[in-house]
Amino acid sequence: MCLAIPGRLESVEPADPFPTGTADFGGIRKQVCLVFVPEAAIGDYVLVHVGFAIGVIDEAEALRTLAVLRAMGDVVETELAGGVS
Amino acid sequence: MKYLDEYRDPALARRLLAELGAVATRPWRLMEVCGGQTHTLVRQGIDELLPAGIRMIHGPGCPVCVTPVAVIDRALELAATPDVVFTSFGDMLRVPGTSTSLLQVKAAGGDVRVVYSPADAVRIAAAEPRRRVVFLAVGFETTAPANAAAVLLAESLGLTNFSMLVSHVLVPPAITAILEDPECLVDGFLAAGHVCSVMGYTEYEPIAARYRVPLVVTGFEPLDLLEGILMAVHQLESGRHEVENQYARAVHRDGNQVAQEAIRRVFRVADKEWRGIGSIPDSGLVLADGYERFDAALWFPSGPRSPESASECIAGQILTGVKTPTDCPAYGTRCTPRHPLGAPMVSSEGTCAAFFSAGRTAAAPSPALNAATS
C-alpha cells in the first residue's frame, strides 16, 4: 500500500488547479501530481505514490531504489499498473 | 554505480548479517509495521537469513487487510446502486465482505472501476456528471495526502457528484495499541519509511520513550531492512530506546509539511475499527467539518447491517504477530490468494499472501522462527 517509487521529472505543467508533471520510471512515463512538492524541478527524482509525488530524492538515491525494485521483479509494474500494493 | 552496487551487493548483505550475528547476544523480536516491508522480507527470504534468535513479527501495516468487513459491505451496497460508479484501488476488489466481493458485484453488472490514483476518480466524476462517483478511500498516512487532494480537486472543480467512503488508518496509535497489549511480543519496531516521508517521525519519539522500545525508520529494499534490523538490535543490546532514521534519503524528521497541511484541512482524527483487531482510539481519519458533503456514508442510506459471520480466518492474530500464517489450518488449502477467506490472503502486502507466494509451508517454516520458538 505504501509503496512509493522514484521517477525522474521530465516536464512541469502549470497548475490547473494543481501543478503536474511527467515523470520517467525507468522508461515508463506517467503524469504525476506535484502539489505536495512545490520545490521539485525538472531533473529531480520525485517519490511517487498513487499518482502523487510525496517527496524529492536525489538522483543517486533514486537510481539505486529503482534498480533494486527492478531486481525484486514485478513490484514496480504493480505500482504502475494500479492497485495500492 | 558505486552507491547502487553497494546496496545490491550480496557481500554487503553478508557483512550486515555477520555483524548482526556478532551483535545479538539474546533473542530479540522486531516488528516491521509496513506490509511492503513484510513483502520484501518474505519474498527475499531475509527473515530466514537472520541469525538464530532474531525473529521478525509481521505487523498490521496492510490497509487492505485492516479495512473492516462493515466498510467492505457498505462498499458492496454502494457499488450495486444503479446510478453509482464505484471506484477503488485494484487490490480492494477481491477482499471478501460478508457475502460477496467488489469483483463479484462487478461481474454481476455493477459499475466498479479500478483507478490508479484517487485523482482519476475525480476525473471520472467530471466527465460523467449524471453519475454519482464514489471512491473507496483506504490507506495509511502515505496515501492520505493523495486522498485529501482528490477532495480538494473535486471542490475546486465544483463537483457535486463525487464522494468518498473513507476508511483511513494511522500508524502511531496502532503501535501504541500493540505495545499496550499484555501479550505484546515486540522488543522493537521498524517504522514504515513512506508513512514517515509524509509525517516525519516526531510522533514516534514519545512512544519510544514511554514504552522503552527502539523505533527505526526503515526503507523497503533488502539492505535497508537489514540495516534497520541491525540498528534496532544495536539499540536493544545497549539498552537504548530511541527513534533512529535508516531511510534518511527519503525521510526528514518533520516529514512533508505541505502534504500534512492537506491532510489536516480535509480530514480529522477519529477512533477507528481495524479488521481483526478491534477499535483503536484516535487511529483513523474521517472527513473534517466543511468536507462532509464529500462523505459517501452520508449520501447513501445504509441498509440493514448483517452480523459478521463466523470465519475460520485468524486475521487478528496474524496482524498482531501472535500467530504466523502456517499456524492456520486453512492456510494454503481452503484459503489461497484465488479463494481468500480473509484479507491477509488478498493483498500482496498481506502476511498470508506474502507467505503463500514465497511458497512457505508448515513443513518448511522459517528456520529463524524455529530457532526463536524452540
Coordinates of all heavy atoms in Angstrom, one line a residue, chain A residues 1-4 17-18 30-31 35-38 47-57 60-61 63-65 67-68 71-75 79-85, chain B residues 1 3-4 7-8 40 43-44 63-64 89-91 116-118 123 138-140 142-143 145-146 149 152-153 156 194-195 197 221-222 249-250 256 258-259 262 347-349:
Chain A
M1 N 0.8 -1.2 0.0 CA 0.0 0.0 0.0 C 0.8 1.2 0.0 O 0.6 2.2 -0.7 CB -0.9 0.0 1.3 CG -1.7 1.3 1.4 SD -3.1 1.2 0.3 CE -3.7 2.8 0.4
C2 N 1.9 1.2 0.8 CA 2.6 2.4 1.0 C 3.9 2.5 0.1 O 4.8 3.2 0.3 CB 3.0 2.7 2.4 SG 1.6 3.0 3.4
L3 N 3.8 1.6 -1.0 CA 5.0 1.7 -1.9 C 5.0 3.0 -2.6 O 4.0 3.4 -3.1 CB 4.8 0.5 -2.9 CG 6.0 0.4 -3.9 CD1 7.3 0.0 -3.1 CD2 5.7 -0.6 -5.0
A4 N 6.1 3.6 -2.7 CA 6.3 4.8 -3.5 C 7.6 4.6 -4.3 O 8.5 4.0 -3.8 CB 6.5 6.0 -2.6
P17 N -6.1 22.5 -11.5 CA -5.7 23.6 -10.5 C -4.4 23.2 -9.8 O -3.9 24.1 -9.1 CB -6.9 23.5 -9.5 CG -7.4 22.1 -9.5 CD -7.1 21.6 -10.9
F18 N -4.0 22.0 -9.9 CA -2.7 21.6 -9.2 C -1.6 21.5 -10.3 O -1.9 21.1 -11.4 CB -2.9 20.2 -8.5 CG -3.9 20.2 -7.4 CD1 -4.6 19.1 -7.2 CD2 -4.1 21.3 -6.6 CE1 -5.5 19.0 -6.1 CE2 -5.0 21.3 -5.6 CZ -5.8 20.1 -5.4
K30 N 4.7 8.6 -16.8 CA 3.4 8.8 -16.2 C 3.3 10.2 -15.8 O 4.3 10.9 -15.4 CB 3.1 7.9 -15.0 CG 2.9 6.4 -15.4 CD 2.2 5.6 -14.3 CE 0.7 5.8 -14.4 NZ 0.0 4.5 -14.7
Q31 N 2.0 10.7 -15.8 CA 1.8 12.1 -15.3 C 1.7 11.9 -13.7 O 1.0 11.0 -13.2 CB 0.4 12.6 -15.8 CG 0.3 14.1 -15.5 CD -1.1 14.6 -16.0 OE1 -2.1 14.1 -15.7 NE2 -1.0 15.7 -16.7
V35 N 1.6 18.7 -6.3 CA 1.1 19.7 -5.4 C 1.8 19.7 -4.0 O 1.9 20.7 -3.4 CB -0.5 19.6 -5.2 CG1 -0.8 18.2 -4.6 CG2 -1.1 20.7 -4.4
F36 N 2.3 18.5 -3.7 CA 3.0 18.3 -2.4 C 4.5 18.6 -2.5 O 5.2 18.5 -1.4 CB 2.7 17.0 -1.8 CG 1.2 16.7 -1.6 CD1 0.6 15.6 -2.1 CD2 0.4 17.6 -0.9 CE1 -0.7 15.4 -1.9 CE2 -0.9 17.4 -0.7 CZ -1.5 16.3 -1.3
V37 N 5.0 18.8 -3.6 CA 6.5 19.0 -3.8 C 6.7 20.3 -4.6 O 7.3 20.2 -5.7 CB 7.2 17.8 -4.4 CG1 7.2 16.6 -3.4 CG2 6.5 17.4 -5.7
P38 N 6.3 21.4 -4.0 CA 6.5 22.7 -4.8 C 7.9 23.0 -5.2 O 8.2 23.7 -6.1 CB 5.9 23.8 -3.9 CG 5.9 23.1 -2.5 CD 5.7 21.7 -2.7
L47 N 9.4 11.0 -5.4 CA 9.0 9.7 -4.9 C 7.4 9.7 -5.0 O 6.7 10.5 -4.5 CB 9.4 9.7 -3.4 CG 9.3 8.4 -2.6 CD1 10.2 7.3 -3.3 CD2 9.8 8.6 -1.2
V48 N 6.9 8.8 -5.9 CA 5.5 8.9 -6.3 C 4.7 7.7 -5.7 O 5.1 6.5 -5.8 CB 5.4 8.8 -7.8 CG1 4.0 8.8 -8.3 CG2 6.2 10.0 -8.4
H49 N 3.6 8.1 -5.1 CA 2.6 7.1 -4.6 C 1.2 7.5 -5.1 O 0.8 8.6 -5.0 CB 2.7 7.2 -3.1 CG 1.6 6.4 -2.4 ND1 1.6 5.0 -2.4 CD2 0.6 6.7 -1.7 CE1 0.6 4.5 -1.7 NE2 -0.1 5.6 -1.2
V50 N 0.6 6.5 -5.7 CA -0.8 6.6 -6.3 C -0.9 8.0 -7.1 O -1.9 8.7 -7.0 CB -1.9 6.4 -5.3 CG1 -1.9 5.0 -4.7 CG2 -1.9 7.4 -4.1
G51 N 0.1 8.3 -7.9 CA 0.0 9.4 -8.8 C 0.4 10.7 -8.2 O 0.4 11.7 -8.9
F52 N 0.8 10.7 -6.9 CA 1.2 12.0 -6.3 C 2.6 11.9 -5.8 O 3.0 10.9 -5.2 CB 0.3 12.3 -5.0 CG -1.1 12.7 -5.4 CD1 -2.1 11.8 -5.8 CD2 -1.5 14.0 -5.4 CE1 -3.3 12.2 -6.2 CE2 -2.7 14.5 -5.7 CZ -3.7 13.5 -6.1
A53 N 3.4 12.9 -6.1 CA 4.8 13.0 -5.5 C 4.7 13.4 -4.1 O 4.0 14.3 -3.7 CB 5.6 14.0 -6.3
I54 N 5.3 12.5 -3.2 CA 5.2 12.9 -1.7 C 6.6 13.3 -1.2 O 6.7 13.7 -0.1 CB 4.8 11.7 -0.9 CG1 5.6 10.4 -1.1 CG2 3.3 11.3 -1.2 CD1 5.4 9.3 -0.1
G55 N 7.6 13.4 -2.1 CA 8.9 13.8 -1.7 C 9.9 13.9 -2.8 O 9.6 13.4 -3.9
V56 N 11.0 14.6 -2.6 CA 12.0 14.6 -3.7 C 13.3 14.0 -3.1 O 13.6 14.2 -2.0 CB 12.4 16.1 -4.0 CG1 13.5 16.2 -5.1 CG2 11.1 16.9 -4.5
I57 N 13.9 13.1 -3.9 CA 15.1 12.5 -3.5 C 16.2 12.7 -4.5 O 15.9 13.1 -5.7 CB 14.9 11.0 -3.3 CG1 14.3 10.3 -4.5 CG2 14.1 10.7 -2.0 CD1 14.1 8.8 -4.2
A60 N 21.2 9.9 -7.2 CA 21.9 8.7 -6.9 C 21.0 7.8 -6.1 O 21.0 6.5 -6.4 CB 23.2 9.0 -6.1
E61 N 20.3 8.3 -5.2 CA 19.4 7.5 -4.4 C 18.3 6.9 -5.2 O 17.9 5.8 -5.1 CB 18.7 8.4 -3.3 CG 19.7 9.1 -2.4 CD 20.2 8.2 -1.3 OE1 19.9 7.0 -1.3 OE2 20.9 8.7 -0.4
L63 N 18.1 6.3 -8.5 CA 18.6 5.2 -9.4 C 18.8 3.9 -8.7 O 18.4 2.8 -9.1 CB 19.9 5.6 -10.1 CG 19.7 6.6 -11.2 CD1 21.1 7.1 -11.7 CD2 18.9 6.1 -12.4
R64 N 19.3 4.0 -7.5 CA 19.6 2.8 -6.7 C 18.2 2.2 -6.3 O 18.1 0.9 -6.5 CB 20.3 3.2 -5.4 CG 20.6 2.0 -4.5 CD 21.5 2.5 -3.4 NE 20.8 3.4 -2.5 CZ 19.9 3.0 -1.6 NH1 19.6 1.8 -1.4 NH2 19.4 3.9 -0.8
T65 N 17.3 3.0 -5.8 CA 16.0 2.4 -5.4 C 15.3 1.7 -6.6 O 14.8 0.6 -6.5 CB 15.1 3.5 -4.9 OG1 15.7 4.2 -3.8 CG2 13.7 3.0 -4.4
A67 N 16.6 0.5 -9.3 CA 17.3 -0.8 -9.7 C 17.0 -1.9 -8.7 O 16.8 -3.0 -9.2 CB 18.8 -0.5 -9.7
V68 N 17.0 -1.6 -7.5 CA 16.7 -2.7 -6.5 C 15.2 -3.1 -6.7 O 14.9 -4.3 -6.7 CB 16.9 -2.2 -5.0 CG1 16.4 -3.3 -4.1 CG2 18.4 -1.9 -4.8
A71 N 15.1 -5.4 -9.6 CA 15.6 -6.7 -9.2 C 14.6 -7.5 -8.4 O 14.7 -8.8 -8.3 CB 16.9 -6.6 -8.4
M72 N 13.7 -6.8 -7.8 CA 12.7 -7.5 -7.0 C 11.5 -8.0 -7.8 O 10.5 -8.5 -7.3 CB 12.2 -6.6 -5.9 CG 13.2 -6.5 -4.7 SD 12.8 -5.1 -3.7 CE 11.1 -5.5 -3.3
G73 N 11.6 -7.8 -9.2 CA 10.6 -8.4 -10.0 C 9.4 -7.5 -10.4 O 9.6 -6.4 -10.9
D74 N 8.2 -7.9 -10.0 CA 7.1 -7.2 -10.6 C 6.5 -6.1 -9.7 O 5.5 -5.5 -10.0 CB 5.9 -8.2 -10.8 CG 5.5 -8.9 -9.5 OD1 6.1 -8.6 -8.4 OD2 4.6 -9.7 -9.5
V75 N 7.3 -5.7 -8.7 CA 6.7 -4.7 -7.8 C 6.5 -3.4 -8.4 O 5.5 -2.7 -8.3 CB 7.7 -4.5 -6.6 CG1 7.1 -3.5 -5.6 CG2 7.9 -5.9 -5.9
E79 N 2.9 -1.3 -9.0 CA 2.6 0.1 -8.6 C 2.1 0.9 -9.8 O 1.2 1.7 -9.7 CB 3.9 0.7 -8.0 CG 3.9 2.2 -7.8 CD 2.8 2.7 -6.8 OE1 2.2 1.9 -6.0 OE2 2.6 3.9 -6.8
L80 N 2.8 0.7 -11.0 CA 2.4 1.5 -12.1 C 1.1 1.0 -12.8 O 0.4 1.8 -13.4 CB 3.5 1.4 -13.2 CG 4.8 2.1 -12.8 CD1 5.9 1.9 -13.8 CD2 4.6 3.6 -12.6
A81 N 0.8 -0.2 -12.6 CA -0.4 -0.8 -13.2 C -1.7 -0.4 -12.4 O -2.8 -0.6 -12.9 CB -0.3 -2.3 -13.4
G82 N -1.5 0.0 -11.2 CA -2.7 0.3 -10.4 C -2.7 -0.6 -9.2 O -2.0 -1.6 -9.2
G83 N -3.5 -0.3 -8.3 CA -3.5 -1.1 -7.1 C -2.7 -0.4 -6.1 O -1.7 0.3 -6.4
V84 N -3.1 -0.6 -4.8 CA -2.4 0.2 -3.8 C -1.1 -0.5 -3.3 O -0.3 0.0 -2.6 CB -3.3 0.4 -2.6 CG1 -4.0 1.7 -2.7 CG2 -4.2 -0.7 -2.3
S85 N -0.9 -1.8 -3.7 CA 0.2 -2.5 -3.2 C 1.5 -1.9 -3.7 O 1.6 -1.4 -4.8 CB 0.2 -4.0 -3.7 OG -1.0 -4.5 -3.2
Chain B
M1 N 27.6 1.6 -10.8 CA 27.4 2.8 -10.0 C 27.7 2.4 -8.5 O 27.1 1.4 -8.0 CB 26.0 3.3 -10.1 CG 25.7 3.8 -11.4 SD 24.0 4.3 -11.6 CE 23.8 5.5 -10.3
Y3 N 27.2 3.6 -5.5 CA 26.1 3.6 -4.4 C 25.1 2.5 -4.6 O 24.7 1.8 -3.7 CB 25.4 5.0 -4.5 CG 24.7 5.3 -3.2 CD1 25.4 5.3 -2.0 CD2 23.4 5.7 -3.2 CE1 24.8 5.6 -0.8 CE2 22.8 6.0 -2.0 CZ 23.4 6.0 -0.8 OH 22.8 6.3 0.4
L4 N 24.8 2.3 -5.9 CA 23.8 1.3 -6.3 C 24.4 -0.1 -5.9 O 23.8 -0.9 -5.3 CB 23.5 1.4 -7.8 CG 22.6 0.3 -8.4 CD1 21.2 0.7 -8.2 CD2 23.0 0.0 -9.8
Y7 N 24.5 -1.2 -2.3 CA 23.2 -1.6 -1.7 C 22.7 -2.9 -2.3 O 21.8 -3.5 -1.7 CB 22.2 -0.4 -1.8 CG 22.2 0.4 -0.6 CD1 23.2 1.4 -0.4 CD2 21.3 0.3 0.4 CE1 23.3 2.2 0.7 CE2 21.4 1.0 1.6 CZ 22.3 2.0 1.7 OH 22.4 2.8 2.8
R8 N 23.2 -3.3 -3.4 CA 22.7 -4.5 -4.0 C 23.8 -5.6 -3.8 O 23.5 -6.8 -4.2 CB 22.4 -4.4 -5.5 CG 21.3 -3.4 -5.7 CD 21.1 -3.3 -7.2 NE 20.5 -4.5 -7.7 CZ 20.3 -4.7 -9.0 NH1 20.6 -3.8 -9.9 NH2 19.7 -5.8 -9.4
T40 N 8.9 -7.7 1.2 CA 10.3 -7.8 0.8 C 11.0 -8.8 1.7 O 11.7 -9.7 1.2 CB 11.0 -6.4 1.0 OG1 10.3 -5.5 0.2 CG2 12.5 -6.5 0.6
R43 N 9.6 -12.4 0.6 CA 9.9 -12.7 -0.8 C 11.4 -13.0 -1.0 O 11.8 -13.9 -1.7 CB 9.4 -11.6 -1.7 CG 9.6 -11.9 -3.2 CD 8.9 -10.9 -4.0 NE 9.2 -11.2 -5.4 CZ 8.3 -11.1 -6.4 NH1 7.1 -10.7 -6.2 NH2 8.7 -11.3 -7.6
Q44 N 12.2 -12.1 -0.3 CA 13.6 -12.3 -0.5 C 14.2 -13.3 0.5 O 15.4 -13.5 0.5 CB 14.3 -10.9 -0.3 CG 13.8 -9.8 -1.2 CD 14.1 -10.0 -2.6 OE1 15.2 -10.4 -3.0 NE2 13.1 -9.7 -3.5
P63 N -3.3 -1.9 4.7 CA -4.6 -1.2 4.8 C -5.8 -2.1 4.2 O -6.9 -2.0 4.7 CB -4.5 0.1 4.0 CG -3.3 -0.1 3.2 CD -2.4 -1.1 3.8
V64 N -5.4 -2.9 3.2 CA -6.4 -3.8 2.6 C -6.9 -4.7 3.7 O -8.1 -5.0 3.9 CB -5.9 -4.5 1.4 CG1 -6.9 -5.5 0.9 CG2 -5.4 -3.6 0.3
F89 N -8.9 1.4 -5.6 CA -7.6 0.8 -5.9 C -7.9 -0.7 -6.1 O -8.8 -1.3 -5.5 CB -6.7 0.9 -4.7 CG -6.3 2.3 -4.4 CD1 -6.4 2.8 -3.1 CD2 -5.7 3.2 -5.4 CE1 -6.0 4.1 -2.8 CE2 -5.3 4.5 -5.1 CZ -5.5 4.9 -3.8
G90 N -7.1 -1.3 -7.0 CA -7.3 -2.6 -7.5 C -7.4 -3.7 -6.5 O -8.1 -4.7 -6.5
D91 N -6.5 -3.6 -5.4 CA -6.4 -4.7 -4.5 C -7.5 -4.8 -3.5 O -7.5 -5.7 -2.7 CB -5.0 -4.8 -3.9 CG -4.4 -3.5 -3.5 OD1 -5.2 -2.5 -3.6 OD2 -3.3 -3.4 -3.1
Y116 N -5.9 4.0 -10.7 CA -4.5 4.1 -10.2 C -4.4 5.1 -9.1 O -3.7 4.9 -8.2 CB -3.6 4.3 -11.4 CG -2.2 4.8 -11.0 CD1 -1.3 4.0 -10.3 CD2 -1.8 6.1 -11.4 CE1 -0.1 4.4 -10.0 CE2 -0.5 6.5 -11.1 CZ 0.3 5.7 -10.3 OH 1.6 6.1 -10.0
S117 N -5.1 6.2 -9.3 CA -4.9 7.4 -8.4 C -6.3 7.9 -8.0 O -7.3 7.8 -8.9 CB -4.2 8.5 -9.1 OG -4.3 9.7 -8.4
P118 N -6.5 8.4 -6.8 CA -7.8 9.0 -6.5 C -8.2 10.1 -7.4 O -9.3 10.4 -7.6 CB -7.6 9.4 -5.0 CG -6.1 9.4 -4.8 CD -5.5 8.4 -5.7
R123 N -11.7 12.7 -12.0 CA -11.8 12.9 -13.4 C -13.0 12.2 -14.0 O -13.7 12.7 -14.9 CB -10.5 12.5 -14.2 CG -9.4 13.4 -13.9 CD -8.1 13.1 -14.7 NE -7.0 13.8 -14.1 CZ -6.0 13.2 -13.3 NH1 -6.0 11.9 -13.2 NH2 -5.1 13.9 -12.8
V138 N -9.0 4.2 1.2 CA -8.4 3.4 2.2 C -6.9 3.8 2.2 O -6.4 4.4 1.2 CB -8.5 1.9 2.0 CG1 -9.9 1.5 2.0 CG2 -7.8 1.5 0.7
G139 N -6.2 3.5 3.3 CA -4.8 3.8 3.3 C -4.2 4.2 4.6 O -5.0 4.5 5.6
F140 N -2.9 4.3 4.7 CA -2.2 4.9 5.9 C -1.8 6.3 5.5 O -2.3 6.9 4.5 CB -1.0 4.0 6.2 CG -1.3 2.8 6.9 CD1 -1.6 1.6 6.3 CD2 -1.3 2.8 8.3 CE1 -1.9 0.4 7.0 CE2 -1.6 1.6 9.1 CZ -1.9 0.4 8.4
T142 N 0.7 7.5 4.2 CA 1.3 7.7 2.8 C 0.2 8.1 1.8 O 0.5 8.9 0.9 CB 2.0 6.4 2.4 OG1 2.7 5.9 3.5 CG2 2.9 6.6 1.2
T143 N -0.9 7.5 1.9 CA -2.0 7.7 0.9 C -2.9 8.8 1.3 O -3.6 9.4 0.4 CB -2.8 6.4 0.8 OG1 -1.9 5.3 0.7 CG2 -3.7 6.4 -0.4
P145 N -2.4 12.1 1.9 CA -2.4 13.3 1.1 C -3.0 13.2 -0.3 O -3.7 14.2 -0.7 CB -0.8 13.5 1.0 CG -0.2 12.7 2.0 CD -1.1 11.6 2.2
A146 N -2.8 12.1 -0.9 CA -3.5 11.9 -2.3 C -5.0 11.9 -2.2 O -5.7 12.6 -3.0 CB -3.0 10.6 -2.9
A149 N -6.1 15.4 -1.5 CA -6.0 16.2 -2.7 C -7.2 15.9 -3.7 O -7.6 16.8 -4.4 CB -4.7 15.9 -3.5
L152 N -9.9 18.0 -2.5 CA -9.7 19.4 -2.8 C -9.8 19.7 -4.3 O -10.3 20.7 -4.8 CB -8.3 19.8 -2.4 CG -8.0 19.8 -0.9 CD1 -6.6 20.0 -0.5 CD2 -8.9 20.8 -0.1
L153 N -9.5 18.7 -5.2 CA -9.6 18.8 -6.6 C -11.1 18.8 -7.0 O -11.6 19.7 -7.8 CB -9.0 17.6 -7.3 CG -9.0 17.5 -8.8 CD1 -8.2 18.7 -9.4 CD2 -8.3 16.2 -9.3
S156 N -12.5 22.2 -6.0 CA -12.1 23.3 -6.9 C -12.8 23.2 -8.3 O -13.0 24.2 -8.9 CB -10.5 23.3 -7.1 OG -10.2 22.2 -7.9
H194 N 7.7 5.2 4.1 CA 7.0 6.2 3.3 C 5.9 6.9 4.1 O 5.5 8.0 3.9 CB 6.4 5.5 2.1 CG 7.5 5.1 1.1 ND1 7.5 4.0 0.4 CD2 8.7 5.7 0.8 CE1 8.6 3.9 -0.3 NE2 9.3 4.9 -0.1
V195 N 5.4 6.2 5.2 CA 4.5 6.9 6.1 C 5.3 8.1 6.7 O 4.8 9.2 6.8 CB 4.0 5.9 7.2 CG1 3.4 6.7 8.4 CG2 3.0 4.9 6.7
S197 N 7.9 9.5 5.3 CA 8.2 10.5 4.3 C 7.1 11.6 4.4 O 7.4 12.8 4.2 CB 8.1 9.9 2.9 OG 9.2 9.1 2.7
E221 N 14.1 -1.7 0.8 CA 14.9 -2.6 0.0 C 15.6 -3.5 0.9 O 15.7 -3.3 2.1 CB 16.0 -1.7 -0.8 CG 15.3 -0.9 -1.8 CD 16.0 0.4 -2.1 OE1 17.3 0.4 -1.9 OE2 15.4 1.4 -2.4
P222 N 16.1 -4.6 0.4 CA 16.7 -5.7 1.3 C 17.7 -5.1 2.2 O 17.7 -5.4 3.4 CB 17.2 -6.7 0.3 CG 16.3 -6.6 -0.9 CD 15.9 -5.1 -1.0
R249 N 17.5 9.1 3.1 CA 17.4 9.7 1.7 C 16.0 10.1 1.4 O 15.7 10.8 0.4 CB 17.9 8.7 0.7 CG 17.1 7.4 0.6 CD 17.8 6.5 -0.4 NE 17.1 5.2 -0.5 CZ 17.2 4.2 0.3 NH1 18.0 4.3 1.4 NH2 16.5 3.1 0.1
A250 N 15.0 9.5 2.1 CA 13.6 9.8 1.8 C 12.8 10.4 2.9 O 11.6 10.7 2.7 CB 12.9 8.6 1.2
N256 N 6.8 15.8 5.2 CA 6.4 16.7 4.2 C 5.3 17.7 4.7 O 4.1 17.2 4.8 CB 5.9 15.9 3.0 CG 5.5 16.8 1.8 OD1 5.0 17.9 2.0 ND2 5.8 16.3 0.6
V258 N 3.8 20.3 3.5 CA 2.7 20.6 2.5 C 1.6 19.5 2.5 O 0.4 19.8 2.6 CB 3.2 20.9 1.1 CG1 2.1 21.3 0.2 CG2 4.3 21.9 1.1
A259 N 2.1 18.3 2.5 CA 1.2 17.1 2.5 C 0.4 17.1 3.8 O -0.8 16.8 3.8 CB 2.0 15.9 2.2
A262 N -2.5 19.4 3.9 CA -3.6 19.0 3.1 C -4.4 18.0 3.9 O -5.7 18.0 3.9 CB -3.2 18.4 1.8
S347 N -4.3 -9.1 -0.3 CA -3.3 -8.1 -0.7 C -1.9 -8.7 -0.9 O -1.5 -9.6 -0.1 CB -3.3 -7.0 0.3 OG -2.1 -6.1 0.1
S348 N -1.2 -8.2 -1.8 CA 0.2 -8.7 -2.0 C 1.0 -8.4 -0.7 O 2.1 -8.9 -0.5 CB 0.9 -8.1 -3.2 OG 1.0 -6.7 -3.1
E349 N 0.5 -7.4 0.0 CA 1.3 -7.0 1.3 C 0.7 -7.7 2.5 O 1.2 -7.5 3.6 CB 1.2 -5.5 1.5 CG 1.9 -4.8 0.4 CD 1.9 -3.3 0.6 OE1 1.4 -2.8 1.6 OE2 2.3 -2.6 -0.4

